[in-house]
Amino acid sequence: VEGVVKEINIRNPHSEIILEVTDAERGTRDIEFEGMSASIFYRAGYTIGSVNQEDVIKLMIAPRHDSSDGGFVMSFITANGENFGFRRP
């Protein structure tokens, strides 16, 4: 999923990323994604400022079981090509 970062909150117990996503079928909308805890983000190399509002990022997600918008962030790539992948400790 690719979109514009509207909000990113790296925190415990789960992080949150809200992306503005546009597609031909449903137009433009904000979608909320849940992610790993702050400590796992930091272990993956994430630092404050790695991603900011209005950045374009690409997420790899585990989709929701009901197929609705959103899901759980498994990894993401920033506009400058940094790749952050998450594994359970």
Side-chain angles (χ1 to χ4, degrees):
V1 178
E2 183 173 348
V4 176
V5 176
K6 301 313 278 180
E7 191 173 327
I8 183 165
N9 297 303
I10 307 304
R11 61 179 180 228
N12 292 317
H14 295 112
S15 296
E16 172 189 53
I17 299 173
I18 299 174
L19 288 187
E20 181 182 87
V21 175
T22 302
D23 62 36
E25 185 179 314
R26 298 188 53 207
T28 300
R29 62 206 180 279
D30 290 349
I31 302 175
E32 182 179 339
F33 299 90
E34 187 175 354
M36 299 284 188
S37 67
S39 61
I40 294 176
F41 263 76
Y42 297 131
R43 272 189 238 141
Y46 179 88
T47 59
I48 294 172
S50 294
V51 176
N52 297 295
Q53 286 183 331
E54 304 305 318
D55 286 355
V56 175
I57 63 173
K58 294 179 185 178
L59 302 179
M60 173 172 265
I61 65 164
R64 292 185 173 163
H65 291 290
D66 65 3
S67 299
S68 63
D69 283 344
F72 197 85
V73 177
M74 304 304 292
S75 66
F76 65 93
I77 301 173
T78 65
N80 67 2
E82 282 186 279
N83 191 339
F84 297 94
F86 307 108
R87 295 183 309 229
R88 292 180 184 257

